[in-house]
Amino acid sequence: MVDNNRAKELKAFDDTKAGVKGLVDSGIVHIPEIFVTPSLTENEFSAKNLDSDSNIVNVQIPVIDLWKGINEDNFRRRRIVEEVGEACKTWGFFQVVNHGVPQHVMDEMIGGIRCFHEQPNNIKREFYSMDPMKKVMFNSNFDLYQAKVANWRDTLACLMAPNPPTNDELPQACREELLQYSQHVRKLGHTIFELLSEALGLKPNHLLDMDCAKGQFIISHYYPPCPEPNKTLGITKHTDPNFFTILLQDQIGGLQINHQNQWIDIHPVTGALVINLGDLLQASISSRTDLLFTFLSWYT
């Protein structure tokens, strides 16, 4: 009976096609049971629960300056490659600054995504889908019917390469922002692949020649205000099933990663992008290489 009730609740929520923002707009004061995270999991993610005597709480992931002359100064490039390699071995995460994506492009991207999620639901509903084959889709929890608990978030997902949607298929509220941001980030992604290849002792184009950069998927999460924030999570712990993620945070924060069995806050750095190594990159590394990255890519 409990499973049947949960199934009904999930379907009722899905059928609204309004996402979590729709729940908030309806004026709820208690979150639905499908979003309630068990207290054990809830405590697991709280950095406040870490040992206060441990210095690791105050540690920040490496911030690497890519510097605009990276392709003109061989000494500087080697230094950056070393920094990337060390960050990958130690953390599996790092932040990059002076990466070539203009600040106004990043600001406009966040603004455009916010605009999409905060527009009337009758407009957003046109993009609502749980079909993973869709090039553009809006939903709340792609794994809504499979996950043990639903996360408190809405998502706009767009496949930008290799077979992107037409411009008209992208939401008008953030169309220009998506096109501009994806172009800049794709160029940055190629640079990251080159640095990773060199950090592995390979030629710069090794991973690019393996078509590791062929696909580009932009996933934009929106976390509406929650009336009971101590009962749910925006994203539960996971690893990314890709080569790597370039993550743009707003200034609110909330991102955490698991490092040496402790959860660490990743504080936003103005102008920085977070690089998160994923599962596929580990699988793609040649067995001939001597340097293997240790991936510590859990995050929430």
Side-chain angles (χ1 to χ4, degrees), residues 200-219:
L200 287 163
L202 305 169
K203 294 181 179 180
N205 287 333
H206 186 90
L207 293 174
L208 293 173
D209 290 343
M210 292 173 61
D211 285 338
C212 294
K214 190 174 182 179
Q216 184 185 26
F217 202 55
I218 294 183
I219 301 176

Side-chain angles (χ1 to χ4, degrees), residues 68 79 84 91 102 128 140 156 192 236 240 270 280 297:
K68 63 181 181 180
R79 181 70 177 272
V84 168
W91 290 89
Y128 192 91
S140 179
L156 174 66
I192 298 297
T236 48
D240 282 356
T270 301
L280 287 181
S297 301

Side-chain angles (χ1 to χ4, degrees), residues 4 51 103 105 118 127 135 144 147 187 196 271 274:
N4 287 338
D51 184 356
Q103 184 65 50
V105 171
E118 295 181 352
F127 298 94
K135 293 183 178 180
L144 182 67
K187 184 182 297 185
L196 289 172
V274 179

Side-chain angles (χ1 to χ4, degrees), residues 248-286:
L248 169 62
Q249 293 191 84
D250 59 18
Q251 294 303 307
I252 296 176
L255 176 66
Q256 292 182 329
I257 66 168
N258 189 279
H259 179 66
Q260 297 182 3
N261 296 319
Q262 302 213 57
W263 288 97
I264 310 299
D265 290 320
I266 305 303
H267 302 290
V269 174
T270 301
L273 291 165
V274 179
I275 310 299
N276 165 30
L277 301 188
D279 302 329
L280 287 181
L281 186 57
Q282 184 175 22
S284 71
I285 294 175
S286 169

Side-chain angles (χ1 to χ4, degrees), residues 47-103:
K48 295 178 182 179
N49 293 322
L50 299 178
D51 184 356
S52 59
D53 294 330
S54 174
N55 293 326
I56 198 170
V57 180
N58 298 317
V59 173
Q60 175 66 306
I61 63 172
V63 178
I64 300 175
D65 188 344
L66 294 187
W67 191 62
K68 63 181 181 180
I70 188 174
N71 293 317
E72 286 78 40
D73 188 323
N74 290 333
F75 175 80
R76 178 58 178 155
R77 186 180 181 92
R78 287 196 300 270
R79 181 70 177 272
I80 292 174
V81 167
E82 291 174 359
E83 292 178 2
V84 168
E86 184 62 27
C88 291
K89 289 188 293 181
T90 307
W91 290 89
F93 282 82
F94 55 94
Q95 298 198 66
V96 291
V97 295
N98 291 325
H99 40 62
V101 183
Q103 184 65 50

